[in-house]
Amino acid sequence: MARATIKQVAAAAEVSTATVSRVLNNSDYVSEEIKERVMAAVNRLNYRPSAIARSLKQDRTYMIGVIVPDISNPYFMGISRGVEDIVGKEGFQLIFCSSDENPEKERRLLKLLQEKRVDAVVLATSGGNDPAIKQIADSNMPIVLVDRKLDSPDTGSMLDLVAEDNTEGASRLTRKLLEEGHTAIGVVNGPTRSSTGRERLEGVRNAMKAFGLNEGPMVYNGDFSTEDGIRAVQQFLNAEHRPTAIISLNNRMSLGVLLEIVRSGLKIPADMAVASFGEVEAGPLLKESGLYYMEQHPYDMGIKAGEILLSRIREEARQDPPAYEIYSNEVKQLI
Amino acid sequence: MARATIKQVAAAAEVSTATVSRVLNNSDYVSEEIKERVMAAVNRLNYRPSAIARSLKQDRTYMIGVIVPDISNPYFMGISRGVEDIVGKEGFQLIFCSSDENPEKERRLLKLLQEKRVDAVVLATSGGNDPAIKQIADSNMPIVLVDRKLDSPDTGSMLDLVAEDNTEGASRLTRKLLEEGHTAIGVVNGPTRSSTGRERLEGVRNAMKAFGLNEGPMVYNGDFSTEDGIRAVQQFLNAEHRPTAIISLNNRMSLGVLLEIVRSGLKIPADMAVASFGEVEAGPLLKESGLYYMEQHPYDMGIKAGEILLSRIREEARQDPPAYEIYSNEVKQLI
C-alpha cells in the first residue's frame, strides 16, 4: 500500500487539507463532527503525517543522538540509560550510533545527526574531531561530552562535560600495585588520541614517579577492545623483563587480560597481579582473584548528562556557562 | 551562530538560490567561477543544507534503523556489524534503538523510525507488535526480521527473516545433559512473548519427552538479562527438588547463571552442569568448566540480513518473495 497523502485524506473526509492539518496538530478550533470524519479517513487510509515535514515547521525532532565508540560496552550503555531516564520523560527518544573508535566514522555520524536535525547530541568522542564538534556547537545544537574531553584544552572548556577524574583514578589504581611491591608494571592503554587514554596513562606514570621509580611502565597501546587486552598479555609474557603486574585501562581490555592470563595457566594474583580501570562484569567468575578495579558510575553520569541536555534544549538555559562535572571514584578489590 | 539559510548564501555569493542549489546538488551546469564563489560563501557562512528538506525530494534518507531488545548484547551487535559491513559500502548508516524487551517502547521506536523515514528497518522484535510491524511493511518500507519471528505464523511468513533453528538447537543442548544422566533439569527461559523464548523452551521439552522422561523441566521465566540468570539459580538452589543441571536460553542469562553458581561455591559441572544457548564471552575464565554452549553466528546472520535489505531498498527486488534464512548450529563444550 502506498503512503497516503494529506490530499487523499482531505478528499476522503470531504474537507480541505488545511482542516486535516488543524485536526492533526490540534492547532485551531474544529467541530467534533469534522474531527471524527478526518480521523476516520486518517485511520482508513493509514495516513501518517511525515515527521520530516512537521519537524521543518516545529523545529524540533524529539530525537537525541548518542555517539559512542563502542555501543556494546556496558559502560556507555549505563551512561545512555541514565540519559534516557531523564529525557524520556520529556518525550525525547535516543538513537545510537557507534563510531568504533574511528574518528572518520565519528565525523560522518556527527554530520548525519546534524543533517537529521536531532535536538541534541551526547558524544563520547574517539578524538581528532575538535573542528567538527566545535562547528556543531556553533550551529546552536546542544552537545554534551561524556567520558571524554576534546583534544585541545581551550576548546574543551567551551562545552558541557561529564567525565571521570582519569589521571587521579589511574594513579590510585597504580599505587595499590606499588604498595604490594610491584615495580615491573605492564600497562594496557587505550588509544592516546582519546583523552581517557592520555589521562589514564599519565596517572600511572605520575604514581610510579611519586613512588620514586625511575623506570616507567611497559606500555601496550590498544584500542579499548577485548582483543587488545589479549594481545597485550601475550606481548608482556614474551617480554625479556616480564612484568609482575598489569594495569588495564578500560573494562573491555581488562576482560581480554583476564581471559589470556587464565588461558596461559597463570594464577591471579600469585603469578600476575591485575588492576582494571572499570569493573569487569564477569570478574567474579575468577574465584578469589584479588583483582583490583576502579569503580565507575556510568548511570549517575548519564543522569547528570541528561539533566544538562534538557536545560540546554530549553532555550532559556542555552546561554549558561558550560557544565564541568568530574566524578572521582574509589579502588575496590574483588575477593 | 544561527544556522545560515540558502538565501543568505545566495546573497553572499551574488547568485540566485536556484544556482546555490544547482552547485550543491551538482544537478546542472554551472561555471567554475560561480561554483567557487558559492562554495566560498557556503564555507564562510557555515551553511549546511538541511537533509530533512533534501530527503523530502530525493525520498531517501540513507539511514537504516536497527531496533534490538538489548543494545549492549554482543549477539545483536554482531548482527549489526554484519549488516553495516554490507550496507555501509552503499552509503547507508545505521542508527540503533534499544527496546529493552518492552513491546510498548518498541512500538514507539517503530513509529519514530517510520516518521523519520529511514530507508529500511532491521528488527529483533520483543513480541506483541504484529499489527505495527505489518503496518510498516504495508507502507512499503523494507523491514527485515532478525533472530525473532512475529507472533502469528501467517503474518510471519510475509516478511524477510534471518534467524536460528531455536527448537532444534535447544533440543541438541538438552540431549547433551540427558546423555550425561541428568534428569532434573532447570531451564532459564526468556519471555514467552518472544519467539526465541517460546521455541527454545519447546526444544528442551521435546528432547526430554523423546528421551522418555515424563517430568518436564523446572522453568524460570526471565527477561534475557544477566540479573534473571542470577535469580533463576537462586530459585533453583532453594527448590525442594534441586536440579542437577541448568540450561540457560540466552548468553546474557548464562553469564548470570555462571556468576551465581560460582558465588554459591558450587563447582561446574561437578555440582551443577550448565548448558548455554549462545557463547558466554567470559566463560573461559572458569577453568575446566565443561560448560556446554550452542554456537551462534551473529555476524554471518547480519551479512545475510544486510544483503536482503539492499535488495529490498533497490526497487527492482521489492516484489521478490520473502527470504527465510534459518541457521542451524552445533553444540560445543568449553574445555
Side-chain angles (χ1 to χ4, degrees):
Chain A
M1 198 160 84
R3 185 184 290 273
T5 65
I6 192 167
K7 275 192 188 170
Q8 291 170 320
V9 173
E14 300 179 358
V15 298
S16 69
T17 55
T19 301
V20 174
S21 167
R22 272 203 294 277
V23 171
L24 290 176
N25 295 317
N26 242 330
S27 61
D28 209 335
Y29 175 76
V30 181
S31 75
E32 275 310 309
E33 194 258 324
I34 301 265
K35 247 187 217 164
E36 274 171 28
R37 239 159 65 199
V38 169
M39 287 318 291
V42 163
N43 291 328
R44 200 164 66 244
L45 296 175
N46 186 23
Y47 173 69
R48 187 164 290 280
S50 164
I52 292 180
R54 264 194 287 140
S55 69
L56 274 177
K57 289 180 211 149
Q58 302 182 345
D59 210 28
R60 190 161 285 183
T61 57
Y62 283 98
M63 284 194 299
I64 289 177
V66 179
I67 304 180
V68 294
D70 178 1
I71 207 171
S72 62
N73 187 335
Y75 175 77
F76 292 116
M77 284 309 105
I79 292 179
S80 303
R81 198 165 295 277
V83 171
E84 187 163 37
D85 284 352
I86 294 296
V87 304
K89 285 182 277 188
E90 307 284 322
F92 292 93
Q93 308 202 62
L94 302 188
I95 60 173
F96 297 90
C97 303
S98 192
S99 68
D100 304 329
E101 299 285 359
N102 177 343
E104 200 264 323
K105 189 174 176 198
E106 178 175 298
R107 202 149 51 238
R108 270 188 285 129
L109 292 168
L110 283 167
K111 200 174 155 213
L112 176 80
L113 293 182
Q114 194 179 20
E115 292 190 348
K116 298 311 167 193
R117 298 178 67 186
V118 295
D119 292 320
V121 171
V122 178
L123 174 67
T125 178
S126 306
N129 276 328
D130 280 14
I133 295 165
K134 194 172 167 309
Q135 191 248 311
I136 288 199
D138 284 347
S139 78
N140 246 340
M141 177 178 291
I143 180 163
V144 175
L145 302 177
V146 292
D147 185 47
R148 300 174 177 194
K149 299 175 184 164
L150 295 188
D151 305 342
S152 142
D154 53 316
T155 46
S157 60
M158 290 171 46
L159 293 175
D160 294 319
L161 174 77
V162 181
E164 294 175 37
D165 190 341
N166 292 299
T167 316
E168 175 56 25
S171 284
R172 283 182 193 162
L173 212 48
T174 309
R175 279 200 291 273
K176 288 288 179 193
L177 296 174
L178 294 169
E179 284 162 7
E180 287 195 348
H182 296 284
T183 53
I185 293 178
V187 178
V188 193
N189 193 36
T192 45
R193 69 168 176 270
S194 98
S195 67
T196 43
R198 287 193 302 276
E199 293 176 350
R200 291 176 192 174
L201 184 58
E202 193 195 335
V204 174
R205 290 206 162 112
N206 289 352
M208 291 180 81
K209 254 184 237 154
F211 214 77
L213 291 179
N214 292 322
E215 289 252 351
M218 185 180 301
V219 179
Y220 177 97
N221 279 308
D223 220 10
F224 285 139
S225 68
T226 306
E227 293 67 35
D228 272 323
I230 292 171
R231 280 183 219 116
V233 171
Q234 290 168 348
Q235 186 174 308
F236 292 151
L237 293 185
N238 285 323
E240 205 182 331
H241 300 286
R242 187 193 266 210
T244 61
I246 293 176
I247 299 184
S248 163
L249 293 175
N250 95 327
N251 57 349
R252 293 294 238 195
M253 298 192 298
S254 299
L255 174 59
V257 166
L258 297 178
L259 284 169
E260 186 60 18
I261 290 178
V262 168
R263 212 193 56 79
S264 308
L266 299 178
K267 294 250 176 301
I268 301 170
D271 303 323
M272 184 69 80
V274 180
S276 165
F277 202 110
E279 221 165 321
V280 183
E281 195 183 10
L285 291 186
L286 296 161
K287 264 300 217 183
E288 295 160 48
S289 73
L291 177 74
Y292 287 111
Y293 64 95
M294 167 70 51
E295 265 197 317
Q296 294 182 306
H297 298 285
Y299 180 79
D300 298 343
M301 292 169 66
I303 293 279
K304 177 54 77 182
E307 289 167 352
I308 295 169
L309 268 185
L310 271 190
S311 78
R312 294 296 174 189
I313 292 173
R314 294 188 186 120
E315 293 287 336
E316 65 263 38
R318 280 250 168 130
Q319 304 309 323
D320 287 0
Y324 189 78
E325 300 281 344
I326 302 294
Y327 288 69
S328 186
N329 300 318
E330 295 302 319
V331 177
K332 303 263 169 141
Q333 189 172 22
L334 212 66
I335 320 176
Chain B
M1 200 161 84
R3 185 184 290 272
T5 65
I6 192 167
K7 274 193 189 171
Q8 291 169 320
V9 174
E14 300 179 357
V15 298
S16 70
T17 55
T19 301
V20 175
S21 167
R22 272 203 294 276
V23 171
L24 291 175
N25 294 316
N26 242 329
S27 60
D28 209 335
Y29 175 75
V30 181
S31 76
E32 277 308 311
E33 193 258 325
I34 301 265
K35 247 187 218 165
E36 274 170 27
R37 240 158 65 198
V38 169
M39 287 317 292
V42 162
N43 290 328
R44 200 163 66 244
L45 296 175
N46 186 23
Y47 173 69
R48 188 164 291 279
S50 162
I52 292 181
R54 264 195 286 138
S55 70
L56 274 178
K57 288 180 212 150
Q58 302 182 346
D59 209 27
R60 189 161 286 183
T61 57
Y62 283 98
M63 284 195 299
I64 290 176
V66 180
I67 305 181
V68 294
D70 178 0
I71 207 171
S72 62
N73 186 334
Y75 175 76
F76 292 116
M77 284 308 105
I79 292 179
S80 302
R81 199 164 294 275
V83 171
E84 187 163 38
D85 283 353
I86 295 296
V87 303
K89 285 182 277 188
E90 306 285 322
F92 292 93
Q93 307 202 61
L94 302 188
I95 60 174
F96 297 90
C97 304
S98 193
S99 67
D100 304 329
E101 299 284 0
N102 177 343
E104 201 265 324
K105 188 174 177 199
E106 178 175 299
R107 203 149 48 238
R108 270 188 285 129
L109 292 168
L110 282 168
K111 200 173 155 216
L112 176 80
L113 293 181
Q114 194 179 21
E115 292 190 347
K116 299 309 168 194
R117 298 179 67 185
V118 295
D119 293 321
V121 171
V122 178
L123 174 67
T125 178
S126 306
N129 276 328
D130 280 15
I133 295 165
K134 194 173 166 308
Q135 192 248 310
I136 287 199
D138 284 348
S139 78
N140 246 339
M141 179 179 289
I143 180 163
V144 175
L145 301 176
V146 291
D147 186 47
R148 300 174 177 195
K149 298 175 184 164
L150 296 189
D151 305 341
S152 141
D154 53 317
T155 45
S157 60
M158 289 171 46
L159 292 175
D160 294 319
L161 174 77
V162 181
E164 294 175 37
D165 190 341
N166 292 297
T167 316
E168 175 56 25
S171 284
R172 284 183 192 162
L173 212 48
T174 309
R175 279 200 291 272
K176 288 289 180 192
L177 297 174
L178 294 168
E179 284 161 7
E180 286 193 350
H182 297 284
T183 53
I185 294 178
V187 178
V188 193
N189 193 35
T192 45
R193 68 168 177 271
S194 98
S195 67
T196 43
R198 288 193 301 276
E199 293 176 350
R200 291 177 191 174
L201 184 57
E202 192 195 337
V204 174
R205 290 205 162 113
N206 290 352
M208 291 179 81
K209 253 185 239 157
F211 213 76
L213 292 178
N214 292 324
E215 290 252 349
M218 184 179 302
V219 179
Y220 177 97
N221 279 308
D223 219 11
F224 285 139
S225 68
T226 305
E227 292 68 35
D228 272 323
I230 292 171
R231 279 183 219 117
V233 171
Q234 290 168 347
Q235 186 174 306
F236 291 152
L237 294 185
N238 285 323
E240 203 182 331
H241 299 287
R242 186 192 267 210
T244 61
I246 293 177
I247 300 185
S248 163
L249 293 175
N250 95 327
N251 57 349
R252 294 293 239 196
M253 299 192 298
S254 299
L255 174 59
V257 166
L258 296 178
L259 284 169
E260 187 60 18
I261 290 178
V262 167
R263 212 193 55 79
S264 309
L266 299 178
K267 293 250 176 304
I268 302 169
D271 303 323
M272 184 69 81
V274 181
S276 165
F277 202 111
E279 221 165 320
V280 184
E281 196 183 9
L285 291 186
L286 296 160
K287 264 302 217 182
E288 296 160 47
S289 73
L291 177 74
Y292 287 111
Y293 64 95
M294 168 71 51
E295 265 197 316
Q296 295 182 306
H297 298 284
Y299 181 78
D300 297 343
M301 291 169 67
I303 293 279
K304 178 54 75 182
E307 289 168 351
I308 296 169
L309 269 185
L310 271 190
S311 78
R312 294 295 174 189
I313 292 173
R314 294 189 187 119
E315 294 287 335
E316 64 264 36
R318 282 249 168 129
Q319 303 311 321
D320 287 0
Y324 189 79
E325 300 281 345
I326 301 295
Y327 287 70
S328 186
N329 299 319
E330 295 302 319
V331 177
K332 302 264 170 137
Q333 188 173 22
L334 212 66
I335 320 176

PDB file of all heavy atoms in Angstrom, chain A residues 262-285:
ATOM      1  N   VAL A 262      44.316 -16.439  32.237  1.00  0.00           N
ATOM      2  CA  VAL A 262      43.766 -17.752  32.577  1.00  0.00           C
ATOM      3  C   VAL A 262      44.176 -18.784  31.528  1.00  0.00           C
ATOM      4  O   VAL A 262      44.601 -19.900  31.848  1.00  0.00           O
ATOM      5  CB  VAL A 262      42.223 -17.681  32.706  1.00  0.00           C
ATOM      6  CG1 VAL A 262      41.617 -19.073  32.758  1.00  0.00           C
ATOM      7  CG2 VAL A 262      41.832 -16.887  33.937  1.00  0.00           C
ATOM      8  N   ARG A 263      44.085 -18.397  30.267  1.00  0.00           N
ATOM      9  CA  ARG A 263      44.449 -19.309  29.187  1.00  0.00           C
ATOM     10  C   ARG A 263      45.910 -19.748  29.294  1.00  0.00           C
ATOM     11  O   ARG A 263      46.271 -20.874  28.973  1.00  0.00           O
ATOM     12  CB  ARG A 263      44.213 -18.622  27.834  1.00  0.00           C
ATOM     13  CG  ARG A 263      43.811 -19.578  26.689  1.00  0.00           C
ATOM     14  CD  ARG A 263      43.898 -18.891  25.343  1.00  0.00           C
ATOM     15  NE  ARG A 263      45.228 -18.350  25.102  1.00  0.00           N
ATOM     16  CZ  ARG A 263      46.275 -19.071  24.700  1.00  0.00           C
ATOM     17  NH1 ARG A 263      46.148 -20.346  24.457  1.00  0.00           N
ATOM     18  NH2 ARG A 263      47.444 -18.490  24.543  1.00  0.00           N
ATOM     19  N   SER A 264      46.751 -18.827  29.767  1.00  0.00           N
ATOM     20  CA  SER A 264      48.176 -19.130  29.901  1.00  0.00           C
ATOM     21  C   SER A 264      48.473 -19.987  31.123  1.00  0.00           C
ATOM     22  O   SER A 264      49.629 -20.343  31.361  1.00  0.00           O
ATOM     23  CB  SER A 264      48.986 -17.835  30.027  1.00  0.00           C
ATOM     24  OG  SER A 264      48.671 -16.945  29.002  1.00  0.00           O
ATOM     25  N   GLY A 265      47.458 -20.256  31.909  1.00  0.00           N
ATOM     26  CA  GLY A 265      47.661 -21.105  33.077  1.00  0.00           C
ATOM     27  C   GLY A 265      48.253 -20.367  34.269  1.00  0.00           C
ATOM     28  O   GLY A 265      48.640 -20.983  35.262  1.00  0.00           O
ATOM     29  N   LEU A 266      48.296 -19.050  34.204  1.00  0.00           N
ATOM     30  CA  LEU A 266      48.842 -18.279  35.331  1.00  0.00           C
ATOM     31  C   LEU A 266      47.731 -17.988  36.344  1.00  0.00           C
ATOM     32  O   LEU A 266      46.575 -17.861  35.991  1.00  0.00           O
ATOM     33  CB  LEU A 266      49.422 -16.952  34.829  1.00  0.00           C
ATOM     34  CG  LEU A 266      50.579 -17.057  33.830  1.00  0.00           C
ATOM     35  CD1 LEU A 266      51.013 -15.660  33.381  1.00  0.00           C
ATOM     36  CD2 LEU A 266      51.751 -17.804  34.459  1.00  0.00           C
ATOM     37  N   LYS A 267      48.146 -17.880  37.605  1.00  0.00           N
ATOM     38  CA  LYS A 267      47.189 -17.566  38.674  1.00  0.00           C
ATOM     39  C   LYS A 267      47.200 -16.064  38.956  1.00  0.00           C
ATOM     40  O   LYS A 267      48.252 -15.421  38.951  1.00  0.00           O
ATOM     41  CB  LYS A 267      47.557 -18.312  39.960  1.00  0.00           C
ATOM     42  CG  LYS A 267      47.443 -19.819  39.871  1.00  0.00           C
ATOM     43  CD  LYS A 267      46.275 -20.331  40.716  1.00  0.00           C
ATOM     44  CE  LYS A 267      46.106 -21.832  40.557  1.00  0.00           C
ATOM     45  NZ  LYS A 267      45.866 -22.291  39.161  1.00  0.00           N
ATOM     46  N   ILE A 268      45.995 -15.537  39.206  1.00  0.00           N
ATOM     47  CA  ILE A 268      45.855 -14.137  39.606  1.00  0.00           C
ATOM     48  C   ILE A 268      45.524 -14.117  41.092  1.00  0.00           C
ATOM     49  O   ILE A 268      44.592 -14.804  41.499  1.00  0.00           O
ATOM     50  CB  ILE A 268      44.708 -13.448  38.836  1.00  0.00           C
ATOM     51  CG1 ILE A 268      44.976 -13.517  37.325  1.00  0.00           C
ATOM     52  CG2 ILE A 268      44.530 -12.007  39.276  1.00  0.00           C
ATOM     53  CD1 ILE A 268      43.792 -13.080  36.478  1.00  0.00           C
ATOM     54  N   PRO A 269      46.228 -13.404  41.945  1.00  0.00           N
ATOM     55  CA  PRO A 269      47.351 -12.521  41.641  1.00  0.00           C
ATOM     56  C   PRO A 269      48.725 -13.166  41.857  1.00  0.00           C
ATOM     57  O   PRO A 269      49.738 -12.496  41.647  1.00  0.00           O
ATOM     58  CB  PRO A 269      47.157 -11.395  42.667  1.00  0.00           C
ATOM     59  CG  PRO A 269      46.561 -12.081  43.852  1.00  0.00           C
ATOM     60  CD  PRO A 269      45.810 -13.270  43.350  1.00  0.00           C
ATOM     61  N   ALA A 270      48.752 -14.445  42.246  1.00  0.00           N
ATOM     62  CA  ALA A 270      50.038 -15.059  42.618  1.00  0.00           C
ATOM     63  C   ALA A 270      51.068 -14.927  41.495  1.00  0.00           C
ATOM     64  O   ALA A 270      52.199 -14.492  41.727  1.00  0.00           O
ATOM     65  CB  ALA A 270      49.829 -16.536  42.977  1.00  0.00           C
ATOM     66  N   ASP A 271      50.676 -15.273  40.274  1.00  0.00           N
ATOM     67  CA  ASP A 271      51.629 -15.202  39.157  1.00  0.00           C
ATOM     68  C   ASP A 271      51.604 -13.846  38.462  1.00  0.00           C
ATOM     69  O   ASP A 271      52.599 -13.438  37.855  1.00  0.00           O
ATOM     70  CB  ASP A 271      51.300 -16.289  38.118  1.00  0.00           C
ATOM     71  CG  ASP A 271      51.309 -17.672  38.737  1.00  0.00           C
ATOM     72  OD1 ASP A 271      52.170 -17.914  39.616  1.00  0.00           O
ATOM     73  OD2 ASP A 271      50.458 -18.496  38.367  1.00  0.00           O
ATOM     74  N   MET A 272      50.470 -13.203  38.495  1.00  0.00           N
ATOM     75  CA  MET A 272      50.328 -11.907  37.819  1.00  0.00           C
ATOM     76  C   MET A 272      49.207 -11.126  38.512  1.00  0.00           C
ATOM     77  O   MET A 272      48.057 -11.573  38.546  1.00  0.00           O
ATOM     78  CB  MET A 272      49.975 -12.128  36.344  1.00  0.00           C
ATOM     79  CG  MET A 272      49.885 -10.865  35.523  1.00  0.00           C
ATOM     80  SD  MET A 272      51.481 -10.037  35.267  1.00  0.00           S
ATOM     81  CE  MET A 272      52.154 -11.040  33.915  1.00  0.00           C
ATOM     82  N   ALA A 273      49.573  -9.983  39.088  1.00  0.00           N
ATOM     83  CA  ALA A 273      48.539  -9.119  39.685  1.00  0.00           C
ATOM     84  C   ALA A 273      47.864  -8.321  38.579  1.00  0.00           C
ATOM     85  O   ALA A 273      48.493  -8.004  37.569  1.00  0.00           O
ATOM     86  CB  ALA A 273      49.169  -8.191  40.714  1.00  0.00           C
ATOM     87  N   VAL A 274      46.595  -8.014  38.774  1.00  0.00           N
ATOM     88  CA  VAL A 274      45.871  -7.259  37.751  1.00  0.00           C
ATOM     89  C   VAL A 274      45.031  -6.159  38.408  1.00  0.00           C
ATOM     90  O   VAL A 274      44.399  -6.387  39.444  1.00  0.00           O
ATOM     91  CB  VAL A 274      44.935  -8.170  36.924  1.00  0.00           C
ATOM     92  CG1 VAL A 274      44.196  -7.357  35.856  1.00  0.00           C
ATOM     93  CG2 VAL A 274      45.716  -9.301  36.254  1.00  0.00           C
ATOM     94  N   ALA A 275      45.078  -4.981  37.792  1.00  0.00           N
ATOM     95  CA  ALA A 275      44.226  -3.873  38.223  1.00  0.00           C
ATOM     96  C   ALA A 275      43.520  -3.328  36.993  1.00  0.00           C
ATOM     97  O   ALA A 275      44.136  -3.150  35.951  1.00  0.00           O
ATOM     98  CB  ALA A 275      45.065  -2.787  38.888  1.00  0.00           C
ATOM     99  N   SER A 276      42.218  -3.075  37.136  1.00  0.00           N
ATOM    100  CA  SER A 276      41.412  -2.651  35.983  1.00  0.00           C
ATOM    101  C   SER A 276      40.765  -1.304  36.224  1.00  0.00           C
ATOM    102  O   SER A 276      40.144  -1.079  37.265  1.00  0.00           O
ATOM    103  CB  SER A 276      40.323  -3.700  35.717  1.00  0.00           C
ATOM    104  OG  SER A 276      39.335  -3.182  34.853  1.00  0.00           O
ATOM    105  N   PHE A 277      40.889  -0.410  35.258  1.00  0.00           N
ATOM    106  CA  PHE A 277      40.112   0.829  35.315  1.00  0.00           C
ATOM    107  C   PHE A 277      38.720   0.475  34.827  1.00  0.00           C
ATOM    108  O   PHE A 277      38.482   0.332  33.627  1.00  0.00           O
ATOM    109  CB  PHE A 277      40.741   1.910  34.430  1.00  0.00           C
ATOM    110  CG  PHE A 277      40.352   3.302  34.827  1.00  0.00           C
ATOM    111  CD1 PHE A 277      41.274   4.172  35.397  1.00  0.00           C
ATOM    112  CD2 PHE A 277      39.044   3.747  34.673  1.00  0.00           C
ATOM    113  CE1 PHE A 277      40.914   5.462  35.788  1.00  0.00           C
ATOM    114  CE2 PHE A 277      38.674   5.022  35.061  1.00  0.00           C
ATOM    115  CZ  PHE A 277      39.616   5.882  35.619  1.00  0.00           C
ATOM    116  N   GLY A 278      37.799   0.319  35.771  1.00  0.00           N
ATOM    117  CA  GLY A 278      36.446  -0.102  35.428  1.00  0.00           C
ATOM    118  C   GLY A 278      36.211  -1.537  35.836  1.00  0.00           C
ATOM    119  O   GLY A 278      37.113  -2.374  35.810  1.00  0.00           O
ATOM    120  N   GLU A 279      34.974  -1.784  36.214  1.00  0.00           N
ATOM    121  CA  GLU A 279      34.569  -3.092  36.680  1.00  0.00           C
ATOM    122  C   GLU A 279      34.501  -4.079  35.515  1.00  0.00           C
ATOM    123  O   GLU A 279      34.096  -3.700  34.422  1.00  0.00           O
ATOM    124  CB  GLU A 279      33.163  -2.955  37.270  1.00  0.00           C
ATOM    125  CG  GLU A 279      32.937  -3.731  38.520  1.00  0.00           C
ATOM    126  CD  GLU A 279      31.657  -3.254  39.213  1.00  0.00           C
ATOM    127  OE1 GLU A 279      31.396  -2.024  39.211  1.00  0.00           O
ATOM    128  OE2 GLU A 279      30.923  -4.105  39.707  1.00  0.00           O
ATOM    129  N   VAL A 280      34.871  -5.333  35.751  1.00  0.00           N
ATOM    130  CA  VAL A 280      34.662  -6.374  34.749  1.00  0.00           C
ATOM    131  C   VAL A 280      33.493  -7.220  35.230  1.00  0.00           C
ATOM    132  O   VAL A 280      33.583  -7.883  36.262  1.00  0.00           O
ATOM    133  CB  VAL A 280      35.922  -7.260  34.578  1.00  0.00           C
ATOM    134  CG1 VAL A 280      35.705  -8.284  33.474  1.00  0.00           C
ATOM    135  CG2 VAL A 280      37.124  -6.400  34.281  1.00  0.00           C
ATOM    136  N   GLU A 281      32.398  -7.159  34.473  1.00  0.00           N
ATOM    137  CA  GLU A 281      31.163  -7.835  34.892  1.00  0.00           C
ATOM    138  C   GLU A 281      31.418  -9.302  35.247  1.00  0.00           C
ATOM    139  O   GLU A 281      30.867  -9.833  36.208  1.00  0.00           O
ATOM    140  CB  GLU A 281      30.141  -7.736  33.750  1.00  0.00           C
ATOM    141  CG  GLU A 281      28.711  -8.056  34.148  1.00  0.00           C
ATOM    142  CD  GLU A 281      27.760  -8.000  32.950  1.00  0.00           C
ATOM    143  OE1 GLU A 281      28.241  -7.903  31.797  1.00  0.00           O
ATOM    144  OE2 GLU A 281      26.538  -8.074  33.172  1.00  0.00           O
ATOM    145  N   ALA A 282      32.270  -9.946  34.470  1.00  0.00           N
ATOM    146  CA  ALA A 282      32.496 -11.381  34.649  1.00  0.00           C
ATOM    147  C   ALA A 282      33.631 -11.673  35.627  1.00  0.00           C
ATOM    148  O   ALA A 282      33.949 -12.830  35.873  1.00  0.00           O
ATOM    149  CB  ALA A 282      32.792 -12.040  33.307  1.00  0.00           C
ATOM    150  N   GLY A 283      34.224 -10.635  36.196  1.00  0.00           N
ATOM    151  CA  GLY A 283      35.358 -10.814  37.097  1.00  0.00           C
ATOM    152  C   GLY A 283      35.134 -11.848  38.195  1.00  0.00           C
ATOM    153  O   GLY A 283      36.017 -12.666  38.476  1.00  0.00           O
ATOM    154  N   PRO A 284      33.956 -11.851  38.828  1.00  0.00           N
ATOM    155  CA  PRO A 284      33.735 -12.790  39.931  1.00  0.00           C
ATOM    156  C   PRO A 284      33.780 -14.261  39.502  1.00  0.00           C
ATOM    157  O   PRO A 284      33.798 -15.144  40.369  1.00  0.00           O
ATOM    158  CB  PRO A 284      32.318 -12.423  40.423  1.00  0.00           C
ATOM    159  CG  PRO A 284      32.135 -10.996  40.014  1.00  0.00           C
ATOM    160  CD  PRO A 284      32.857 -10.877  38.714  1.00  0.00           C
ATOM    161  N   LEU A 285      33.801 -14.544  38.204  1.00  0.00           N
ATOM    162  CA  LEU A 285      33.953 -15.943  37.779  1.00  0.00           C
ATOM    163  C   LEU A 285      35.310 -16.479  38.224  1.00  0.00           C
ATOM    164  O   LEU A 285      35.481 -17.683  38.429  1.00  0.00           O
ATOM    165  CB  LEU A 285      33.823 -16.075  36.246  1.00  0.00           C
ATOM    166  CG  LEU A 285      32.438 -15.818  35.648  1.00  0.00           C
ATOM    167  CD1 LEU A 285      32.453 -16.131  34.162  1.00  0.00           C
ATOM    168  CD2 LEU A 285      31.359 -16.646  36.352  1.00  0.00           C
TER     169      LEU A 285
END
